[in-house]
Amino acid sequence: MDLQKLQKETIEKLLLLNQPKSKTTKTKFVNVKWKILIYDTRCQSMLLPLFKVQDLKDLGITLHFNIKSKRESIKDVPAIYFVAPTEENLSLIIEDFSNDLYDNYYLNFNPHIPKGSLQSLARSLVDLNMIDKVSSIYDQYLNFYTLRPKLFELGLTSTYYKLNTSVNQEEVEFLLEKIAKGIFGVFVTMGVIPIIRAQEGNAAEYIAQKVSQYFEQNLNPKNVNSQGGGSNNKLFLNPLNSLTGNFQRPVLILVDRQIDFNVLLHHSSTYQCLVYDTLKVESNRVGLRTKKDPNSKSKNEKENEENEIETKGIHEYEILPFGDGSWQNDPNEKKKWDVNWYDLSEDDPFWVENRTRHFPEVLETISNTTKEISEKQEYITSTNTLNLNKNNENENEMEKVQGQEQENTINSKLLKNSTLDMIEKIDIIPELQRLKSQQEKHTKLALYITSQLESRQLDEFYTNEIMVMKSEYTTSNEREEIIKLIKSKKGTANDKMRLLLIWYLSKAEISEEHLEKIKSVAIKNNCDISSLLHFIEMKKFSLNSTLNNNSSKGVFKTFGRMIGKGLDNMRPSNSGKILPITRIVSSIMEMKGEKNDSPNKSFLYLDPKISSSFKNSSIPRNKTPYKEAIVFVVGGGNYLEFQNLHEYSQNQIPKKSIIYGTTDIINADQFLNQFNNQKK
């Protein structure tokens, strides 16, 4: 299953005015009409991981604009709109019609436009006498971001905090329905109807029920949906065919974030985890600022300096992440920096081959690549030694050979050898340029990560977290080591809180005295303990619910069972350890376990093709191990979890296909700042 490819093909069809595409080559489309593309910010972000500017040109997109930008009238060219059906966007569309900006309008709403909004839009266009200019209106189900072939997110920020702290039930339900619609859109894009398994008692269960309802509404012709007008069983014309050619339906596995907090908090050692942990990455792009040299060096000098970057100390280069861009508002500050944006996509072979490796191994590979580039450069600029040797041989031969004809023959051979050598060198140049560009990107990323590892001494946090999770400390030594690190100048405040939370979540019981002592130390050392207070309250809530034998209907019904579960398994993924989420997925896909606490038994079972009037226990169940799964984490996911699932799927015989999705891909800072920022 390649979800990224499917989403791209769906958008390509949209950009080709829903006409079948034809190609003369792998990249160039033929008979395309020139068009203008209008998008909103969210839809633009969906395009970024999928299309480069040249890709859009190949599809006939000559110009593209944000719907909020000021635009001039352009005649004789159709305009494609790819926007959410918000009140603001609909007003801007009506304004464009009123100003008669374009000759034809192809409206694509993502997600689908509610029936009431569509009727209101139609009335406005009739009043403007512009209804004839609407060439088509399509509902799109593409409200998700595919970052890799088997990885997607919904782009919904701070979902864990909103779902677990909000007292406004309507806001929570609105967010849960938004998540359910995003997941439903993934399956519309895939064209399959899954079996649904969900963790009971939490947000995952509510979302599972909603997703199942959306399937029923679109499969049953008797259903009328006030949101979209009616059923639309055309969305699943071939529901039994999965993308790998299998006729078995995939399984959707929905879990809540509390199955494993440590995977978000733990400092990892792999390249991709460190990139996403120390830098801000959006839509597979990362921005780096490099301090400009105060001495105005020539372009050639700068290029030579870049080639030698590996041999110099990292402190000779000041490299910072792009961040939120606020520094650009200061003209003096802006002049000090060169900014480069780098793609971390499947088109980068170095990234694909090395992202899951431990960082020291990646540094070694970068060093080896530098040597390879240097050797190729020397070869290209060197004199052909073979020809020189032949020259010496030929000089001796010339002394013995008389006549102009023999001399011409020898010179011809020399010219031929020299030409072949030149052709060989020219053929190397494009590959060398690619290697140099790739090397520059990953050298700068590695330099920044190395600076962070050194300045924050992250190896100490990594080691201590491992020892806490493996229970290798004695109780008193453990507390003292944690207090010692919190008091030290090592790491950021969030680094210290990550270790503190892992320690707290790993303990079934902690005395009030010890807890108050550590809280006091953290506060004195400028740590924001908002996240710790949240987990303390949740632990108390769970304990009270258990003592009162109360089956709470809140989001944290199963919190007590989940806290600390799987902590002994939280290790670097390539150590062979399986994370809690991978164990759950394995149990469900392999149909393992008959115990009541086995996920295969305890998780909710829904089949959208069977009426929801059936009780969970009476639904006929699939008894064959699943070959394909879509795993969705409510409340934020990360690359370590994705990597662990991928490794599990590839180690199976035969291999399994697992797509990993989440509300939002986040790092530890983003998770903690959900709590920290509430005071600001």
Side-chain angles (χ1 to χ4, degrees), residues 8-23:
K8 184 174 182 178
E9 288 177 348
T10 304
I11 296 175
E12 282 176 351
K13 184 179 178 182
L14 175 162
L15 298 178
L16 291 170
L17 308 179
N18 289 288
Q19 299 298 316
K21 66 180 183 180
S22 59
K23 292 184 177 182

PDB file of all heavy atoms in Angstrom, residues 8-23:
ATOM      1  N   LYS A   8      -1.481  11.497  -4.273  1.00  0.00           N
ATOM      2  CA  LYS A   8      -0.932  12.294  -5.371  1.00  0.00           C
ATOM      3  C   LYS A   8      -1.721  12.058  -6.653  1.00  0.00           C
ATOM      4  O   LYS A   8      -2.034  13.008  -7.381  1.00  0.00           O
ATOM      5  CB  LYS A   8       0.545  11.948  -5.581  1.00  0.00           C
ATOM      6  CG  LYS A   8       1.225  12.809  -6.635  1.00  0.00           C
ATOM      7  CD  LYS A   8       2.724  12.544  -6.709  1.00  0.00           C
ATOM      8  CE  LYS A   8       3.391  13.457  -7.730  1.00  0.00           C
ATOM      9  NZ  LYS A   8       4.855  13.255  -7.788  1.00  0.00           N
ATOM     10  N   GLU A   9      -2.053  10.814  -6.946  1.00  0.00           N
ATOM     11  CA  GLU A   9      -2.820  10.503  -8.162  1.00  0.00           C
ATOM     12  C   GLU A   9      -4.210  11.119  -8.112  1.00  0.00           C
ATOM     13  O   GLU A   9      -4.733  11.586  -9.132  1.00  0.00           O
ATOM     14  CB  GLU A   9      -2.915   8.989  -8.339  1.00  0.00           C
ATOM     15  CG  GLU A   9      -1.592   8.347  -8.768  1.00  0.00           C
ATOM     16  CD  GLU A   9      -1.685   6.833  -8.859  1.00  0.00           C
ATOM     17  OE1 GLU A   9      -2.688   6.262  -8.374  1.00  0.00           O
ATOM     18  OE2 GLU A   9      -0.741   6.212  -9.404  1.00  0.00           O
ATOM     19  N   THR A  10      -4.819  11.141  -6.927  1.00  0.00           N
ATOM     20  CA  THR A  10      -6.145  11.758  -6.782  1.00  0.00           C
ATOM     21  C   THR A  10      -6.070  13.258  -7.058  1.00  0.00           C
ATOM     22  O   THR A  10      -6.942  13.827  -7.732  1.00  0.00           O
ATOM     23  CB  THR A  10      -6.698  11.509  -5.369  1.00  0.00           C
ATOM     24  OG1 THR A  10      -6.731  10.105  -5.116  1.00  0.00           O
ATOM     25  CG2 THR A  10      -8.101  12.075  -5.231  1.00  0.00           C
ATOM     26  N   ILE A  11      -5.030  13.907  -6.539  1.00  0.00           N
ATOM     27  CA  ILE A  11      -4.875  15.349  -6.766  1.00  0.00           C
ATOM     28  C   ILE A  11      -4.508  15.629  -8.219  1.00  0.00           C
ATOM     29  O   ILE A  11      -4.945  16.630  -8.802  1.00  0.00           O
ATOM     30  CB  ILE A  11      -3.833  15.931  -5.792  1.00  0.00           C
ATOM     31  CG1 ILE A  11      -4.327  15.802  -4.348  1.00  0.00           C
ATOM     32  CG2 ILE A  11      -3.553  17.395  -6.107  1.00  0.00           C
ATOM     33  CD1 ILE A  11      -3.333  16.245  -3.297  1.00  0.00           C
ATOM     34  N   GLU A  12      -3.710  14.752  -8.829  1.00  0.00           N
ATOM     35  CA  GLU A  12      -3.391  14.910 -10.253  1.00  0.00           C
ATOM     36  C   GLU A  12      -4.668  14.893 -11.091  1.00  0.00           C
ATOM     37  O   GLU A  12      -4.833  15.697 -12.016  1.00  0.00           O
ATOM     38  CB  GLU A  12      -2.451  13.789 -10.712  1.00  0.00           C
ATOM     39  CG  GLU A  12      -1.006  13.988 -10.308  1.00  0.00           C
ATOM     40  CD  GLU A  12      -0.123  12.818 -10.702  1.00  0.00           C
ATOM     41  OE1 GLU A  12      -0.680  11.778 -11.136  1.00  0.00           O
ATOM     42  OE2 GLU A  12       1.113  12.932 -10.581  1.00  0.00           O
ATOM     43  N   LYS A  13      -5.567  13.980 -10.757  1.00  0.00           N
ATOM     44  CA  LYS A  13      -6.840  13.906 -11.481  1.00  0.00           C
ATOM     45  C   LYS A  13      -7.625  15.201 -11.313  1.00  0.00           C
ATOM     46  O   LYS A  13      -8.205  15.728 -12.271  1.00  0.00           O
ATOM     47  CB  LYS A  13      -7.659  12.717 -10.972  1.00  0.00           C
ATOM     48  CG  LYS A  13      -8.952  12.502 -11.717  1.00  0.00           C
ATOM     49  CD  LYS A  13      -9.707  11.285 -11.182  1.00  0.00           C
ATOM     50  CE  LYS A  13     -11.034  11.111 -11.921  1.00  0.00           C
ATOM     51  NZ  LYS A  13     -11.810   9.968 -11.381  1.00  0.00           N
ATOM     52  N   LEU A  14      -7.612  15.733 -10.103  1.00  0.00           N
ATOM     53  CA  LEU A  14      -8.271  17.017  -9.814  1.00  0.00           C
ATOM     54  C   LEU A  14      -7.674  18.126 -10.673  1.00  0.00           C
ATOM     55  O   LEU A  14      -8.399  18.946 -11.261  1.00  0.00           O
ATOM     56  CB  LEU A  14      -8.104  17.298  -8.327  1.00  0.00           C
ATOM     57  CG  LEU A  14      -8.547  18.589  -7.670  1.00  0.00           C
ATOM     58  CD1 LEU A  14      -8.638  18.342  -6.157  1.00  0.00           C
ATOM     59  CD2 LEU A  14      -7.620  19.768  -7.911  1.00  0.00           C
ATOM     60  N   LEU A  15      -6.339  18.155 -10.763  1.00  0.00           N
ATOM     61  CA  LEU A  15      -5.646  19.214 -11.514  1.00  0.00           C
ATOM     62  C   LEU A  15      -5.778  19.045 -13.020  1.00  0.00           C
ATOM     63  O   LEU A  15      -5.566  19.989 -13.779  1.00  0.00           O
ATOM     64  CB  LEU A  15      -4.167  19.244 -11.120  1.00  0.00           C
ATOM     65  CG  LEU A  15      -3.870  19.564  -9.650  1.00  0.00           C
ATOM     66  CD1 LEU A  15      -2.375  19.507  -9.370  1.00  0.00           C
ATOM     67  CD2 LEU A  15      -4.426  20.935  -9.269  1.00  0.00           C
ATOM     68  N   LEU A  16      -6.118  17.837 -13.465  1.00  0.00           N
ATOM     69  CA  LEU A  16      -6.368  17.596 -14.890  1.00  0.00           C
ATOM     70  C   LEU A  16      -7.848  17.721 -15.226  1.00  0.00           C
ATOM     71  O   LEU A  16      -8.332  17.194 -16.222  1.00  0.00           O
ATOM     72  CB  LEU A  16      -5.851  16.205 -15.275  1.00  0.00           C
ATOM     73  CG  LEU A  16      -4.324  16.039 -15.267  1.00  0.00           C
ATOM     74  CD1 LEU A  16      -3.940  14.579 -15.417  1.00  0.00           C
ATOM     75  CD2 LEU A  16      -3.689  16.870 -16.376  1.00  0.00           C
ATOM     76  N   LEU A  17      -8.575  18.424 -14.349  1.00  0.00           N
ATOM     77  CA  LEU A  17     -10.007  18.691 -14.546  1.00  0.00           C
ATOM     78  C   LEU A  17     -10.812  17.396 -14.600  1.00  0.00           C
ATOM     79  O   LEU A  17     -11.772  17.263 -15.346  1.00  0.00           O
ATOM     80  CB  LEU A  17     -10.241  19.520 -15.814  1.00  0.00           C
ATOM     81  CG  LEU A  17      -9.411  20.811 -15.921  1.00  0.00           C
ATOM     82  CD1 LEU A  17      -9.719  21.535 -17.215  1.00  0.00           C
ATOM     83  CD2 LEU A  17      -9.656  21.711 -14.724  1.00  0.00           C
ATOM     84  N   ASN A  18     -10.366  16.408 -13.795  1.00  0.00           N
ATOM     85  CA  ASN A  18     -11.026  15.111 -13.676  1.00  0.00           C
ATOM     86  C   ASN A  18     -11.101  14.358 -14.998  1.00  0.00           C
ATOM     87  O   ASN A  18     -11.996  13.538 -15.197  1.00  0.00           O
ATOM     88  CB  ASN A  18     -12.422  15.277 -13.064  1.00  0.00           C
ATOM     89  CG  ASN A  18     -12.345  15.641 -11.599  1.00  0.00           C
ATOM     90  OD1 ASN A  18     -11.999  14.822 -10.754  1.00  0.00           O
ATOM     91  ND2 ASN A  18     -12.648  16.907 -11.302  1.00  0.00           N
ATOM     92  N   GLN A  19     -10.131  14.645 -15.859  1.00  0.00           N
ATOM     93  CA  GLN A  19     -10.007  13.895 -17.106  1.00  0.00           C
ATOM     94  C   GLN A  19      -8.971  12.790 -16.910  1.00  0.00           C
ATOM     95  O   GLN A  19      -8.021  12.952 -16.145  1.00  0.00           O
ATOM     96  CB  GLN A  19      -9.564  14.809 -18.252  1.00  0.00           C
ATOM     97  CG  GLN A  19     -10.538  15.931 -18.545  1.00  0.00           C
ATOM     98  CD  GLN A  19     -11.887  15.408 -18.992  1.00  0.00           C
ATOM     99  OE1 GLN A  19     -11.975  14.493 -19.812  1.00  0.00           O
ATOM    100  NE2 GLN A  19     -12.951  15.986 -18.438  1.00  0.00           N
ATOM    101  N   PRO A  20      -9.116  11.656 -17.599  1.00  0.00           N
ATOM    102  CA  PRO A  20      -8.096  10.604 -17.472  1.00  0.00           C
ATOM    103  C   PRO A  20      -6.754  11.106 -17.969  1.00  0.00           C
ATOM    104  O   PRO A  20      -6.677  11.807 -18.980  1.00  0.00           O
ATOM    105  CB  PRO A  20      -8.634   9.473 -18.356  1.00  0.00           C
ATOM    106  CG  PRO A  20      -9.585  10.138 -19.292  1.00  0.00           C
ATOM    107  CD  PRO A  20     -10.182  11.283 -18.544  1.00  0.00           C
ATOM    108  N   LYS A  21      -5.702  10.762 -17.250  1.00  0.00           N
ATOM    109  CA  LYS A  21      -4.381  11.252 -17.625  1.00  0.00           C
ATOM    110  C   LYS A  21      -3.732  10.324 -18.634  1.00  0.00           C
ATOM    111  O   LYS A  21      -3.914   9.120 -18.620  1.00  0.00           O
ATOM    112  CB  LYS A  21      -3.492  11.406 -16.391  1.00  0.00           C
ATOM    113  CG  LYS A  21      -3.155  10.113 -15.695  1.00  0.00           C
ATOM    114  CD  LYS A  21      -2.263  10.391 -14.493  1.00  0.00           C
ATOM    115  CE  LYS A  21      -1.845   9.083 -13.811  1.00  0.00           C
ATOM    116  NZ  LYS A  21      -0.985   9.313 -12.653  1.00  0.00           N
ATOM    117  N   SER A  22      -2.957  10.918 -19.523  1.00  0.00           N
ATOM    118  CA  SER A  22      -2.177  10.135 -20.478  1.00  0.00           C
ATOM    119  C   SER A  22      -0.776  10.712 -20.506  1.00  0.00           C
ATOM    120  O   SER A  22      -0.578  11.912 -20.412  1.00  0.00           O
ATOM    121  CB  SER A  22      -2.797  10.196 -21.871  1.00  0.00           C
ATOM    122  OG  SER A  22      -2.876  11.530 -22.318  1.00  0.00           O
ATOM    123  N   LYS A  23       0.209   9.844 -20.611  1.00  0.00           N
ATOM    124  CA  LYS A  23       1.607  10.279 -20.586  1.00  0.00           C
ATOM    125  C   LYS A  23       2.359   9.717 -21.780  1.00  0.00           C
ATOM    126  O   LYS A  23       2.114   8.600 -22.207  1.00  0.00           O
ATOM    127  CB  LYS A  23       2.295   9.801 -19.310  1.00  0.00           C
ATOM    128  CG  LYS A  23       1.796  10.463 -18.040  1.00  0.00           C
ATOM    129  CD  LYS A  23       2.632   9.977 -16.859  1.00  0.00           C
ATOM    130  CE  LYS A  23       2.196  10.675 -15.585  1.00  0.00           C
ATOM    131  NZ  LYS A  23       3.026  10.253 -14.441  1.00  0.00           N
TER     132      LYS A  23
END
